[in-house]
Amino acid sequence: MNLLQLDASPRLGRSNSRRLGNYFVERWLAKRPDDRVVHRDLRTFTPPHVTESWIAAAFTPAAERDDAMHRELAVSDTLVDELEAADVLVMALPMYNFGLPSALKAWVDNIVRIGRTFDFDPDAADPYTPLLRDKQAYVIVATGDAGYQPGGPMYGLNHVEPHLRTLFQFIGIDQTTFFYVGNDEFGGQRLETELATATDRITQTLSSTPSRACA
Ligand SMILES: Cc1cc2nc3c(=O)[nH]c(=O)nc-3n(C[C@H](O)[C@H](O)[C@H](O)COP(=O)(O)O)c2cc1C
């Protein structure tokens, strides 16, 4: 199977999301050593923002695009290819201002592509068709405070999970598991406890989930 490991933290050694994303992939490979991992690191490459010419190119049917349009979409095509090739997406991100960090939002805007990850037919009863199939997503969210998980005291402020679940469903990724690691701002024992809890949850998920991917 193919894993796409996506890191969105601009921090390296101090990043809690990266640490847990790496742990997830290590554990995965311990069970399935022959699986292949592609690492897309938004710390070293931030996808470009959408521009007017990008929109024009994306909404021109592929067969009618000129060279400039193909160049305009080259990064987006690469990022969509990576996602399409993946059976499993492992996304690790920091919560910034209660939502996605902007580098990850730029990635999202590049991979939600008409004709590639969703289709639109204005005459259909349901005009939107997701085009991705058979993918699982595991999302690790690092936060400064804690309690952002569903049912937690901060969930009402969590604009990461509802946003990502909506996006994933829109393009056809319908099996998604979230892990949270909070308390970065508090540090010390409170952070250690969060790291240990998230690590345990990942270990348990990978050992007990009877998923197609882990079978
Ligand atoms: C620009 C910025 C915005 C942040 N916004 C929030 C926030 O809205 N809620 C929160 O709990 N923590 C917030 N934090 C803290 C980070 O989510 C926390 O440090 C997290 O551990 C970062 O992920 P990383 O450890 O993978 O780098 C923010 C940090 C920065 C730098």
Side-chain angles (χ1 to χ4, degrees):
M1 298 181 79
N2 292 321
L3 275 71
L4 175 59
Q5 181 182 9
L6 185 88
D7 270 306
S9 175
R11 304 199 295 181
L12 203 54
R14 295 190 58 189
S15 165
N16 299 323
S17 60
R18 244 172 229 280
R19 179 164 157 185
L20 288 165
N22 287 337
Y23 178 74
F24 184 103
V25 171
E26 258 170 46
R27 295 293 305 178
W28 184 285
L29 291 177
K31 278 188 93 171
R32 301 181 51 96
D34 295 332
D35 284 356
R36 191 170 149 262
V37 181
V38 169
H39 189 203
R40 171 58 65 184
D41 194 343
L42 303 183
R43 177 178 191 268
T44 48
F45 174 74
T46 305
H49 285 159
V50 164
T51 58
E52 184 168 2
S53 47
W54 186 99
I55 298 167
F59 283 85
T60 298
E64 294 167 28
R65 284 180 199 140
D66 60 23
D67 288 349
M69 287 175 165
H70 286 297
R71 280 197 299 277
E72 193 67 54
L73 295 175
V75 169
S76 168
D77 281 334
T78 301
L79 298 177
V80 172
D81 289 346
E82 280 176 0
L83 182 60
E84 236 175 23
D87 303 291
V88 180
L89 171 65
V90 183
M91 178 185 273
L93 70 139
M95 173 185 282
Y96 279 173
N97 302 314
F98 308 102
L100 303 185
S102 58
L104 182 60
K105 180 58 167 55
W107 179 85
V108 163
D109 290 342
N110 276 273
I111 59 96
V112 179
R113 269 275 301 281
I114 189 159
R116 299 249 13 222
T117 53
F118 75 96
D119 253 341
F120 175 68
D121 176 357
D123 300 321
D126 180 355
Y128 303 100
T129 308
L131 294 181
L132 299 182
R133 294 273 175 279
D134 300 328
K135 295 192 193 305
Q136 302 191 0
Y138 295 92
V139 182
I140 294 145
V141 185
T143 62
D145 211 308
Y148 287 100
Q149 71 283 359
M154 299 285 270
Y155 186 67
L157 302 180
N158 180 351
H159 297 277
V160 170
E161 182 164 337
H163 190 183
L164 287 176
R165 283 194 186 277
T166 301
L167 292 165
F168 287 162
Q169 276 164 21
F170 188 68
I171 61 176
I173 303 174
D174 42 21
Q175 291 185 63
T176 306
T177 306
F178 279 80
F179 303 98
Y180 285 88
V181 54
N183 280 342
D184 188 47
E185 274 159 21
F186 296 94
Q189 191 50 51
R190 283 194 270 187
L191 172 59
E192 290 308 317
T193 303
E194 286 280 315
L195 284 164
T197 304
T199 304
D200 283 353
R201 269 207 66 216
I202 290 172
T203 309
Q204 273 169 25
T205 300
L206 291 183
S207 60
S208 66
T209 306
S211 68
R212 182 181 62 85
C214 292

